C-alpha cells in the first residue's frame, strides 16, 4: 500500500516509519495543541461533519466489504457516531472542569481536586465487523480527552479502512490524528512502539497478544473482546416476542456482532415454540429464500466461512431450521441447531455467525451453573416475566452487561457503559465513560500558608511523642465520622471552629507533653 497524508504503512521500513511518525506526533502533543477546549470542540465538530457529509460514501464502503445493508450501517454505526460526537461536544465543557472534592474538616484550609489529563499519544485498534463504529467511537473519546491518536482499522474491511484513511486527514488535524493501514504484521510493528494508551477491539486471543505487547512498556489498555454471550429463556416469558428479539439480534450483520446471542439455554418446550415462531418470522423478514434478501449481509471472508462451515459439519446437534450455505457468495442462512450438548464444537468457541445452538436446561439454577462454568461473557441475556428470575441472574452472574427481555440494545442505551469482564475484556467506554477512559485522573492537593492550618498540623513535626500520637488518633476517630459536602459558608465556619479547637489542642499538648522523650 502506498504512503499518503495521514495514511502510514507499507514496506520494510515500517518500524522506522512508525517511530519517526510517533516522534513527530509527540512533539505536536508537547506543544499543547490538543489541550484547549476550543481545539477539542472544533475537532468534534469536524468529526460530526466528516460522518454527516460522507454518509453515503461510507455506506457504500461497508457494503463493498461485507454487503452490509444501508439500514444497518447507517443506524447501527454512522448515526451512533454522530450522536456520540454531538453529545460529547455538548457535555465536554462541564467534563473538562476540575472536579473539586468536598470540604475536609481535617484539612480545612486546603483544597483538592481531580484534574483529567490526556494520556498523550494513544493507539486505537479496530476490528472488521462494525468497521466504522468500532475504531471511530473510541476516537471521539480520545479527541475529547485531548490526546493525539493513531487509528489502526482492520485489514479485513479494506474499503472501510481506506475510507477512514482518506477522511481523517481531510477533516481532523492531520498532525494530531493519523490512520495506519496494513495487516497483522503492521499492527504488530505498531505495537513495538511505546504508546501512552492502547484501546483495542478484537477477539480474546488477539487481545492477549495486544496486552503482552503493551506490558513491555507498562502501557495501560482497554480491551473490548469477544466470547460466547448466552441467552436464558424462562418458560413464563412471552415466547413470541422473545423469539422475535433474539432472532433479530442474531441476524443483524449475519450474526457477526460481538454481543449477538451466541447460544440459548431453555427447556424443550420453550425450544419447540421458539423454532415454530422463528420459521414464521424468518419467512416474514427475508421471504422464502433468505439468500435472495438484500437485508442479510455476508460472512466477511472465506476463512470465516470455512470456520463456520466446520462448526456446522462437526455438530452433534440437529439442524432444526436453515443450514444453507454458499461459499462463493459467502452466505450461510440463519440456522437453529437443537439438542446440542456441552462438548459440541458449537459450544467451544464464539460462533460469530448466523448459527444459534440450543442446549436444554430444566431450571434457572442449571442455566446459571452452565454459564458460570465458562469464561465470563460480554453480555448475558435473560427472558422472563419473573422479577425473582431476573434478580437471580443480575445478582449472581458476572458478565460485561446483563440485558433482560431483549438482546444487543443495551449497547445503545445512553448512560450505560460498554465493556467486558474477564475473558470478554477490561475497561469500558461510550459517552462519559469514553472521556474518562482516555483521561488520566490526576489527584491535586493545594495547601495554604495559613498559620492556623500550620499549627493544626504541627503535631507531624518531630520531636514525636506519645501525646502527639494520641492527638492524631483522636482526630481520626472523631472527625472521619463526618462527610460534610462542599458547602462554602459551612466550610468556613467549621474551619474557624476547627482551627480554634486545634490551636487549643496543640497548645495544650505542648503544655502537657514531657520535655524529654
Ligand atoms: P480482526 O482480525 O480485524 O483484528 C482486529 C485488529 O487486531 C486488526 O487491526 C488486526 O490487524 C489486529 N491483529 C490481528 N492479529 C493480531 C496480533 N496477533 N497481534 C496484534 N494485533 C493483531 O478482528 P477480529 O479480532 O476477528 O474481530 C472479531 C472479534 O472481535 C470477535 O471475537 C468479536 O467478538 C470481537 N469484538 C468485540 C467487540 C467489543 O466491543 N467487545 C466489538 C466487536 C468485535
Amino acid at each position: 500500500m502506498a504512503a499518503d497524508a495521514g495514511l502510514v504503512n507499507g514496506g520494510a521500513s515500517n518500524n522506522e516509519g512508525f517511530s519517526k511518525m510517533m516522534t513527530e506526533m509527540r512533539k505536536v502533543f508537547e506543544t499543547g495543541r490538543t489541550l484547549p477546549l476550543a481545539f477539542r470542540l472544533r475537532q468534534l465538530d469536524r468529526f460530526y461533519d466528516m460522518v454527516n457529509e460522507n454518509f453515503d460514501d461510507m455506506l457504500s464502503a461497508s457494503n463493498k466489504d461485507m454487503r452490509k445493508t444501508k439500514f444497518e450501517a447507517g443506524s447501527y454505526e454512522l448515526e451512533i457516531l454522530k450522536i456520540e460526537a454531538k453529545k460529547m461536544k455538548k457535555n465536554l465543557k462541564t467534563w473538562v472542569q476540575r472536579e473539586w472534592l468536598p470540604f475536609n474538616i481535617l484539612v480545612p484550609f486546603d483544597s483538592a481536586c481531580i484534574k483529567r489529563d490526556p494520556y498523550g499519544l494513544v493507539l486505537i485498534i479496530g476490528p472488521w465487523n462494525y468497521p466504522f463504529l468500532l475504531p471511530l467511537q473510541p476516537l471521539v473519546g480520545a479527541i475529547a480527552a485531548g490526546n493525539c491518536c493513531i487509528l489502526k482499522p482492520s485489514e479485513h474491511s479494506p474499503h472501510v479502512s481506506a475510507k477512514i484513511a482518506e477522511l481523517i486527514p481531510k477533516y481532523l488535524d492531520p498532525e494530531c490524528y493519523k490512520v495506519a493501514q496494513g495487516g497483522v504484521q503492521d499492527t504488530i510493528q505498531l505495537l513495538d512502539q511505546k504508546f501512552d494508551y492502547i484501546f483495542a477491539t478484537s477477539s480474546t486471543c488477539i487481545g492477549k497478544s495486544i496486552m503482552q505487547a503493551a506490558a513491555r512498556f507498562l502501557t495501560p489498555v482497554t480491551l473490548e473482546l469477544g466470547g460466547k454471550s448466552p441467552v436464558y429463556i424462562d418458560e413464563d416469558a412471552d415466547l413470541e416476542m422473545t423469539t422475535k428479539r433474539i432472532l433479530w439480534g442474531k441476524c443483524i450483520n449475519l450474526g457477526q456482532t460481538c454481543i449477538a446471542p451466541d447460544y440459548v439455554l431453555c427447556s424443550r418446550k420453550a425450544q419447540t415454540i421458539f423454532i415454530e415462531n422463528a420459521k414464521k418470522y424468518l419467512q416474514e423478514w427475508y421471504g422464502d429464500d433468505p439468500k435472495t434478501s438484500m437485508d442479510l449481509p455476508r460472512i466477511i471472508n472465506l476463512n470465516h466461512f470455512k470456520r463456520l462451515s466446520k462448526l456446522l459439519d462437526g455438530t452433534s446437534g440437529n439442524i432444526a431450521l436453515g443450514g444453507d450455505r454458499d461459499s462463493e457468495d459467502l452466505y450461510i442462512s440463519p440456522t437453529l441447531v437443537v439438542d446440542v450438548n456441552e462438548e459440541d464444537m458449537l459450544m467451544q468457541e464464539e460462533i460469530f455467525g448466523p448459527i444459534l445452538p440450543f442446549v436444554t436446561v430444566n431450571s434457572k439454577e442449571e442455566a446459571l451453573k452452565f454459564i458460570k462454568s465458562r469464561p465470563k461473557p460480554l453480555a448475558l441475556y435473560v427472558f422472563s416475566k419473573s422479577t425473582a428470575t431476573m434478580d437471580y441472574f443480575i445478582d449472581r452472574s458476572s458478565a460485561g452487561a446483563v440485558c433482560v427481555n431483549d438482546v444487543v440494545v443495551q449497547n445503545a442505551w445512553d448512560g450505560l457503559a460498554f465493556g467486558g469482564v474477564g475473558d470478554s475484556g477490561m475497561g469500558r467506554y461510550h459517552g462519559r465513560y469514553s472521556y474518562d477512559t482516555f483521561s488520566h485522573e490526576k489527584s491535586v492537593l493545594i495547601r495554604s500558608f495559613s498559620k492556623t492550618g500550620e499549627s493544626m498540623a504541627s503535631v507531624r513535626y518531630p520531636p514525636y511523642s506519645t501525646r502527639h500520637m494520641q492527638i492524631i488518633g483522636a482526630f481520626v476517630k472523631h472527625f472521619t465520622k463526618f462527610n460534610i459536602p462542599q458547602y462554602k459558608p459551612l466550610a468556613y465556619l467549621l474551619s474557624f471552629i476547627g482551627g480554634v479547637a486545634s490551636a487549643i489542642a496543640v497548645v495544650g499538648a505542648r503544655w502537657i507533653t514531657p520535655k524529654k522523650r
Side-chain angles (χ1 to χ4, degrees):
M1 282 176 209
D4 200 347
L7 187 153
V8 288
N9 51 40
S13 65
N14 252 351
N15 252 339
E16 235 176 79
F18 286 146
S19 159
K20 189 165 167 269
M21 171 187 68
M22 288 176 63
T23 309
E24 282 162 13
M25 290 180 85
R26 281 193 191 285
K27 274 189 201 152
V28 175
F29 179 77
E30 289 309 326
T31 63
R33 191 190 298 177
T34 58
L35 296 184
L37 177 64
F39 175 87
R40 303 184 203 186
L41 294 178
R42 170 85 185 131
Q43 297 304 309
L44 290 172
D45 264 342
R46 295 295 292 150
F47 182 98
Y48 181 91
D49 292 344
M50 174 179 84
V51 180
N52 200 34
E53 289 168 14
N54 297 279
F55 206 88
D56 289 339
D57 277 0
M58 292 167 91
L59 291 184
S60 21
S62 72
N63 187 270
K64 280 181 193 150
D65 281 334
M66 57 187 300
R67 230 192 73 177
K68 208 181 257 255
T69 67
K70 286 190 175 183
F71 176 82
E72 289 187 8
S75 315
Y76 306 151
E77 296 197 69
L78 304 188
E79 293 295 354
I80 293 179
L81 287 174
K82 283 163 64 180
I83 294 170
E84 185 82 349
K86 229 179 190 163
K87 287 209 158 171
M88 191 64 85
K89 195 185 159 208
K90 194 168 158 218
N91 291 303
L92 194 56
K93 201 173 166 191
T94 313
W95 294 346
V96 294
Q97 301 301 322
R98 294 175 184 184
E99 192 181 312
W100 291 99
L101 266 62
F103 168 73
N104 185 336
I105 197 166
L106 283 177
V107 278
F109 298 97
D110 302 340
S111 48
C113 68
I114 306 294
K115 158 78 173 63
R116 289 181 175 80
D117 288 336
Y119 278 99
L121 179 51
V122 307
L123 172 66
I124 295 175
I125 298 176
W128 49 266
N129 61 332
Y130 288 80
F132 280 118
L133 182 71
L134 296 173
L136 294 181
Q137 192 169 11
L139 177 64
V140 172
I143 293 172
N147 296 282
C148 286
C149 179
I150 295 179
L151 277 184
K152 168 64 185 70
S154 174
E155 61 276 12
H156 297 305
S157 43
H159 290 94
V160 169
S161 298
K163 185 53 72 185
I164 292 176
E166 173 202 323
L167 295 178
I168 293 283
K170 223 160 129 185
Y171 280 83
L172 304 184
D173 185 321
E175 291 185 319
C176 298
Y177 313 104
K178 290 185 189 284
V179 181
Q181 290 194 85
V184 176
Q185 281 316 313
D186 299 270
T187 317
I188 290 172
Q189 285 183 332
L190 260 178
L191 288 165
D192 277 340
Q193 311 296 323
K194 182 175 167 32
F195 284 90
D196 299 305
Y197 200 93
I198 297 174
F199 185 108
T201 307
S202 70
S203 64
T204 303
C205 178
I206 294 177
K208 287 178 184 172
S209 305
I210 292 171
M211 194 163 173
Q212 267 177 353
R216 278 179 286 161
F217 303 108
L218 286 179
T219 302
V221 292
T222 289
L223 297 176
E224 297 289 343
L225 308 178
K228 293 179 87 61
S229 294
V231 182
Y232 171 68
I233 305 176
D234 209 356
E235 266 186 21
D236 83 343
D238 178 331
L239 291 174
E240 185 86 27
M241 226 184 278
T242 297
T243 311
K244 210 172 169 182
R245 292 176 178 179
I246 294 173
L247 262 192
W248 165 80
K250 192 66 181 178
C251 289
I252 50 169
N253 217 26
L254 207 60
Q256 300 160 106
T257 302
C258 58
I259 46 174
D262 189 275
Y263 64 94
V264 175
L265 300 169
C266 66
S267 67
R268 274 187 193 279
K269 189 175 158 205
Q271 176 186 290
T272 308
I273 301 172
F274 189 106
I275 305 289
E276 283 315 304
N277 289 338
K279 283 180 190 160
K280 184 178 72 183
Y281 285 118
L282 287 178
Q283 213 282 338
E284 210 174 274
W285 295 347
Y286 305 118
D288 291 334
D289 181 7
K291 192 178 161 193
T292 58
S293 164
M294 291 313 287
D295 291 335
L296 279 175
R298 291 301 184 251
I299 303 299
I300 186 70
N301 56 36
L302 195 57
N303 279 347
H304 276 281
F305 178 88
K306 285 182 181 163
R307 181 185 61 78
L308 289 163
S309 287
K310 213 169 142 192
L311 292 181
L312 272 184
D313 291 338
T315 180
S316 57
N318 299 308
I319 295 179
L321 189 58
D324 304 328
R325 286 177 256 170
D326 180 348
S327 62
E328 278 181 19
D329 195 19
L330 297 176
Y331 170 76
I332 297 178
S333 62
T335 302
L336 306 184
V337 187
V338 295
D339 306 324
V340 171
N341 63 44
E342 218 174 309
E343 286 75 41
D344 199 289
M345 279 172 77
L346 282 168
M347 295 308 294
Q348 305 313 313
E349 58 175 74
E350 179 183 10
I351 293 173
F352 221 53
I355 305 165
L356 187 62
F358 283 72
V359 178
T360 307
V361 292
N362 295 307
S363 65
K364 63 177 187 299
E365 290 78 12
E366 203 185 321
L368 188 65
K369 195 171 164 211
F370 187 95
I371 293 165
K372 288 184 90 162
S373 67
R374 290 157 172 269
K376 295 179 179 181
L378 187 56
L380 164 58
Y381 302 116
V382 181
F383 286 80
S384 175
K385 283 183 186 153
S386 149
T387 315
T389 303
M390 296 175 197
D391 287 344
Y392 181 73
F393 284 94
I394 294 170
D395 292 340
R396 296 179 189 219
S397 64
S398 181
V402 174
C403 178
V404 177
N405 295 336
D406 210 333
V407 297
V408 179
V409 293
Q410 75 275 12
N411 179 41
W413 193 269
D414 194 26
L416 279 184
F418 185 89
V421 57
D423 281 29
S424 56
M426 60 184 72
R428 51 198 194 155
Y429 75 128
H430 287 193
R432 170 75 203 235
Y433 297 105
S434 293
Y435 173 71
D436 286 346
T437 284
F438 285 102
S439 304
H440 166 64
E441 295 190 349
K442 186 165 70 186
S443 296
V444 178
L445 174 67
I446 303 169
R447 304 222 71 180
S448 81
F449 283 120
S450 146
K451 291 223 165 25
T452 319
E454 179 64 2
S455 65
M456 276 173 75
S458 64
V459 285
R460 71 177 165 162
Y461 298 123
Y464 304 130
S465 73
T466 317
R467 189 70 192 142
H468 284 188
M469 261 181 81
Q470 283 167 349
I471 291 170
I472 286 179
F475 259 102
V476 172
K477 187 171 169 201
H478 295 298
F479 290 111
T480 50
K481 286 178 193 158
F482 307 110
N483 186 9
I484 301 160
Q486 192 166 18
Y487 180 60
K488 285 272 165 69
L490 178 66
Y492 290 136
L493 178 66
L494 288 173
S495 319
F496 178 72
I497 296 170
V500 172
S502 7
I504 293 169
V506 169
V507 171
R510 282 200 183 138
W511 185 60
I512 54 170
T513 303
K515 289 244 159 51
K516 282 184 192 155
R517 278 182 295 163

